[in-house]
Amino acid sequence: MIELRTPAEIEEMRAAGRFVASVLEATSKAAAVGVNLLDLDALAHEMIRKAGAESCYIDYHPSFGASPFGKVICTSVNDAVLHGLPHDYRLKDGDLLSLDFAASVNGWVSDSAISLVVGTPRGEDLKLIDTTERALAAGIEAARVGNKIGDISRAIQDVAKAGGYSVNTDFGGHGVGRTMHGDPHIPNAGRPGRGLPLKPGLVIAIEPWFLHTTDRIFTDPDGWTLRSADGSRGAHSEHTVAITEDGPIVLTARG
């Protein structure tokens, strides 16, 4: 079911957005050569505890997950691009790390993701990250009253195509509110002018993710982590966005 939020409810959602942004800022800053993924999860967990927030991940068990997630942040490294389950791995120089985090504050959820290079970057990784960020910006710009879901999807797709990347539509954006995942689904490719009309009060997570040389993925033996079919690296960017008469509001804006 698609739910529209009042202006007052959107204001209430800002606290969750600020908190999610703060956790991504802290974990991104902490990510360095030699840091264990489990340490990043512990940092996010401690921030949740101190803020009195609730994790959206730790008990999350959708149909595509092998078991409850059990951690509070997704840490996807190199050829992993989505749902990376934190495990005993120390980051190495040049690793491409994607962090995806969602939490509930006072009953409202926000969801966001960021990708970065640990240590010495590769030019191709920086280009991939930049493309996901520009695709996210294009999707947000299209999230305006009077447009449709397809306009967001096509805006993302156009940036990916211009960068030379293909698009997987198995996983994409989604509605956000009292729960992490709701309607509508927002594919990262589509046709402009098609799909659900965008109305004031719709709150959505827009999340482009691309792989260097494929759009095919498979599930790691851990039952969660999604990896590229050919071993190429992936990047992921995401914000929670409220659609209003005055334009899109990025609830998870960082900095």
Side-chain angles (χ1 to χ4, degrees):
M1 181 176 68
I2 295 171
E3 297 182 86
L4 301 179
R5 306 301 175 185
T6 66
E9 287 175 326
I10 290 173
E11 285 300 310
E12 291 176 4
M13 296 181 77
R14 288 183 183 272
R18 288 192 297 267
F19 175 67
V20 166
S22 72
V23 171
L24 286 180
E25 287 173 336
T27 50
S28 295
K29 185 176 180 180
V33 175
V35 171
N36 198 302
L37 297 181
L38 294 175
D39 293 334
L40 297 179
D41 184 71
L43 172 58
H45 207 146
E46 179 63 9
M47 292 182 72
I48 289 171
R49 187 191 67 79
K50 287 183 176 180
E54 294 183 14
S55 170
C56 291
Y57 290 167
I58 197 161
D59 295 323
Y60 187 52
H61 189 188
S63 59
F64 57 81
S67 61
F69 191 71
K71 305 296 182 184
V72 299
I73 191 168
C74 294
T75 55
S76 302
V77 181
N78 296 334
D79 65 321
V81 66
L82 296 175
H83 308 161
L85 185 64
H87 60 285
D88 186 13
Y89 174 83
R90 293 191 179 276
L91 291 166
K92 300 175 183 178
D93 186 48
D95 277 348
L96 198 170
L97 171 66
S98 297
L99 299 169
D100 188 358
F101 180 72
S104 174
V105 176
N106 298 325
W108 294 108
V109 171
S110 274
D111 189 3
S112 187
I114 187 172
S115 292
L116 63 140
V117 176
V118 177
T120 308
R122 302 181 185 182
E124 62 183 10
D125 289 345
L126 296 179
K127 177 192 172 188
L128 182 64
I129 292 170
D130 177 67
T131 303
T132 65
E133 291 176 346
R134 289 188 293 106
L136 176 58
I140 292 170
E141 177 60 28
R144 294 183 177 274
V145 175
N147 282 351
K148 295 185 177 181
I149 292 293
D151 294 300
I152 297 175
S153 301
R154 185 53 179 265
I156 293 170
Q157 179 183 358
D158 284 347
V159 174
K161 184 177 180 180
Y165 306 112
S166 55
V167 178
N168 177 295
T169 56
D170 292 342
F171 295 90
H174 49 88
V176 181
R178 294 293 188 183
T179 60
M180 177 172 58
H181 288 148
D183 294 327
H185 173 62
I186 305 164
N188 287 324
R191 296 173 60 184
R194 301 293 293 271
L196 179 79
L198 303 180
K199 297 181 179 180
L202 182 64
V203 181
I204 53 177
I206 300 173
E207 53 177 317
W209 58 277
F210 310 135
L211 300 162
H212 272 305
T213 55
T214 186
D215 59 12
R216 296 175 55 240
I217 54 177
F218 71 94
T219 303
D220 189 87
D222 67 17
W224 274 100
T225 304
L226 296 178
R227 298 185 181 276
S228 67
D230 64 358
S232 63
R233 296 185 174 201
H236 178 201
S237 296
E238 178 182 16
H239 273 310
T240 295
V241 179
I243 297 172
T244 76
E245 291 283 9
D246 297 324
I249 297 173
V250 180
L251 297 174
T252 49
R254 296 180 288 273

